[in-house]
Amino acid sequence: MRLLAIETSCDETAAAVVEDGRRILSSVVSTQAEVHAPYGGVVPELASRHHIENIVPVIRGAMTEAGIAFHELDAVAVTQGPGLVGSLLVGLQAAKAIAWVHGKPLVPVHHVAGHIQAPFLAHDDIPLPALALVVSGGHTSLVEVPEEGTYRLLGRTRDDAAGEAFDKVSKLLGLGYPGGPVIDRLSQGANDHAVEFKIARIKDGRADFSFSGIKTAVLYHVRREGIPPVADPAQVPPGVRDLVASFQRAVVSALVRGLVRGAEKHRPRSLLVTGGVAANTLLRRDSLGLPIFIPPLALSTDNAAMIGAAGFVGFRKGRRAGPDLNAEPSLPLS
Ligand code: KG4
Ligand code: ZN
């Protein structure tokens, strides 16, 4: 069974053809990182405009790379939400048009379900139930996965996503966008105990996260110490490297703490870590005593292959949408 999948929830325009939810026949991702870099974060209006320009060439590229024609597809899967509404609508309209013109079923997909399905594209036989940590610029969610396609949200961020915190701290220090990779690199070999940042503990017993406090703590530290924004990215002062390393250690500890607590309570047979922040060297290094599956970078960050994988699972469960399918910026997972 071959699905064309389309993803445009944030700043990546992506299309892929996936066979039986497992085999990637093609995967094309056009990133807008450079468009948003001068602003230190995604500008929604610019994102939708670029999706409009990119969507047709990206879909064409995916079809050509897979070497198939539209009539040979079995279904079209598309991210319905959550995400930026103007961005989601571009992918959604394209998917609806292709499904309608070629008489193919349309399968709506939750973006986070896509991230959770990504490790299954890279690994066979992941033991279930699994506990998934989805960490990106837009999401920080801890999800129990009793079987493929069934998701129980255990906790999520109450304010900033973990990746968002990396991006904001990076912007604050003049280190550029996206911040995660820069901070990750600058932290290598730096003193991550230079500043002791505390991450808020959620007191009501829920497995939620919070990252806006640490961002503010970094801001206060910068003001107190009078640290100017970095002028030359090639020459970052040791004090700034120690600062970002300390920040990174605090964020990663909070994520790992959430995973460990969730694992103790729900006793999964494996752990999944996905989303852009799953690229983080420190996070990848933590061994938690359970088999841990982290997709390769191209499948961790936003892509359409993961939407195709989740779309296949949804399709088998009978998920279908009609031409009235609408974008849902805050679509709940389940
Ligand atoms: O999944 P993704 O590509 O897009 C969203 O759905 O948001 O994730 C992008 C996020 C950005 O916030 C970026 O700073 C973060 O992932 N990121 C990292 C690393 N690489 C990317 N964060 C920490 N360490 C990294 N190595
Ligand atoms: Zn994402």
Side-chain angles (χ1 to χ4, degrees):
M1 193 184 148
R2 288 184 281 191
L3 265 89
L4 167 67
I6 298 172
E7 151 68 38
T8 60
S9 67
C10 190
D11 62 342
E12 262 91 28
T13 318
V17 179
V18 178
E19 193 170 56
D20 297 332
R22 286 285 193 267
R23 224 162 70 80
I24 303 170
L25 302 186
S26 66
S27 180
V28 177
V29 180
S30 166
T31 177
Q32 307 176 5
E34 274 180 29
V35 174
H36 304 286
Y39 307 95
V42 177
V43 183
E45 179 62 27
L46 287 179
S48 15
R49 283 169 195 267
H50 279 83
H51 283 308
I52 291 172
E53 282 172 18
N54 296 336
I55 189 76
V56 171
V58 164
I59 293 173
R60 257 202 204 117
M63 295 299 290
T64 307
E65 203 179 300
I68 67 166
F70 286 121
H71 72 265
E72 294 174 286
L73 292 169
D74 294 289
V76 180
V78 64
T79 306
Q80 186 194 2
L84 302 169
V85 69
S87 293
L88 288 165
L89 281 170
V90 179
L92 214 66
Q93 294 304 341
K96 285 201 274 190
I98 293 167
W100 184 68
V101 169
H102 298 279
K104 306 294 176 188
L106 181 64
V107 186
V109 176
H110 191 286
H111 181 78
V112 171
H115 275 301
I116 294 173
Q117 208 58 35
F120 294 87
L121 283 166
H123 306 276
D124 290 326
D125 306 322
I126 295 180
L128 296 175
L131 182 66
L133 176 67
V134 183
V135 262
S136 71
H139 310 277
T140 308
S141 305
L142 193 63
V143 181
E144 195 183 11
V145 188
E147 56 172 29
E148 277 187 64
T150 305
Y151 314 108
R152 264 186 231 126
L153 184 66
L154 302 176
R156 60 178 182 172
T157 183
R158 297 204 173 172
D159 36 63
D160 292 350
E164 196 179 350
F166 273 92
D167 295 336
K168 287 179 175 170
V169 164
S170 179
K171 183 177 180 180
L172 171 73
L173 292 165
L175 297 172
Y177 173 84
V182 186
I183 290 180
D184 192 350
R185 184 171 47 77
L186 291 173
S187 300
Q188 314 278 340
N191 174 15
D192 62 5
H193 284 274
V195 190
E196 290 299 326
F197 289 116
K198 288 204 179 60
I199 291 257
R201 282 175 190 261
I202 304 292
K203 301 229 168 60
D204 62 9
R206 279 193 57 91
D208 282 348
F209 300 93
S210 167
F211 295 105
S212 78
I214 183 161
K215 172 196 66 188
T216 313
V218 174
L219 174 68
Y220 286 161
H221 179 87
V222 165
R223 280 197 192 148
R224 203 168 45 237
E225 304 289 319
I227 301 171
V230 171
D232 179 3
Q235 290 186 342
V236 178
V240 171
R241 294 186 50 210
D242 292 348
L243 174 61
V244 295
S246 304
F247 158 80
Q248 172 178 277
R249 182 174 63 86
V251 172
V252 171
S253 313
L255 293 172
V256 170
R257 190 169 74 203
L259 257 182
V260 169
R261 290 229 179 114
E264 281 167 1
K265 191 161 173 199
H266 299 277
R267 302 263 158 221
R269 293 178 60 219
S270 63
L271 302 175
L272 316 177
V273 180
T274 97
V277 184
N280 188 267
T281 320
L282 187 61
L283 183 60
R284 294 179 89 99
R285 206 184 296 146
D286 248 294
S287 132
L288 297 166
L290 274 173
I292 181 160
F293 298 92
I294 308 176
L297 193 56
L299 293 172
S300 284
T301 54
D302 283 353
N303 66 89
M306 68 183 194
I307 302 302
F312 176 74
V313 177
F315 182 88
R316 274 194 316 192
K317 291 187 167 243
R319 280 191 149 246
R320 301 287 185 281
D324 58 343
L325 181 69
N326 206 353
E328 293 288 346
S330 318
L331 187 68
L333 179 73
S334 70

